[in-house]
Amino acid sequence: MSWTTVCRLDDILPNAGVAALIDETQVAIFRVDDKVYALANKDPFSKANVLSRGIVGSVKGTLVVASPIYKQHFSLEAGNCLEDETVSIPCYQVRTEGELVQVQVNC
């Protein structure tokens, strides 16, 4: 499995996300301080690729992104929906190599 370089860490604003297309998969990459997280960009409720534009925050100690459409919260670490335990989105491996953000979607 190979890593794909997406951008520089400084290209992602703190507590915000960006979208990347990797091997035909839309990935939402979020930066919280200097830590990065990668989730599927597709909101399972609206079916729109919008999660990278969601609001990053914390709900009861869990780092989350809130969907910009229906406002469900998804864990940045596990991808589970806090409001509906039957729904989750894929998480992807992500790392920083120096100043570069790299994602692995086929793992």
Side-chain angles (χ1 to χ4, degrees), residues 28-40 51 56-66 73-82 87-94:
I29 303 154
F30 300 95
R31 176 181 174 187
V32 178
D33 299 319
D34 286 332
K35 188 163 169 93
V36 287
Y37 303 88
L39 305 169
L51 291 180
V56 175
S58 177
V59 173
K60 297 181 182 176
T62 300
L63 287 174
V64 297
V65 59
H73 298 91
F74 297 92
S75 166
L76 291 179
E77 295 178 337
N80 59 296
C81 177
L82 273 59
V87 177
S88 65
I89 56 175
C91 295
Y92 302 108
Q93 291 187 4
V94 61

Side-chain angles (χ1 to χ4, degrees), residues 69-104:
I69 297 180
Y70 293 126
K71 311 302 184 224
Q72 281 90 357
H73 298 91
F74 297 92
S75 166
L76 291 179
E77 295 178 337
N80 59 296
C81 177
L82 273 59
E83 290 80 17
D84 185 341
E85 64 186 35
T86 66
V87 177
S88 65
I89 56 175
C91 295
Y92 302 108
Q93 291 187 4
V94 61
R95 69 182 183 188
T96 53
E97 281 292 313
E99 286 296 314
L100 300 177
V101 176
Q102 298 179 327
V103 177
Q104 191 176 55

Side-chain angles (χ1 to χ4, degrees), residues 11-64:
D11 292 334
I12 308 172
L13 295 174
N15 301 313
V18 297
L21 184 62
I22 303 171
D23 297 332
E24 299 183 25
T25 301
Q26 282 210 25
V27 178
I29 303 154
F30 300 95
R31 176 181 174 187
V32 178
D33 299 319
D34 286 332
K35 188 163 169 93
V36 287
Y37 303 88
L39 305 169
N41 195 32
K42 185 178 269 187
D43 176 347
F45 294 96
S46 69
K47 308 293 188 230
N49 289 307
V50 295
L51 291 180
S52 63
R53 293 183 280 167
I55 297 171
V56 175
S58 177
V59 173
K60 297 181 182 176
T62 300
L63 287 174
V64 297

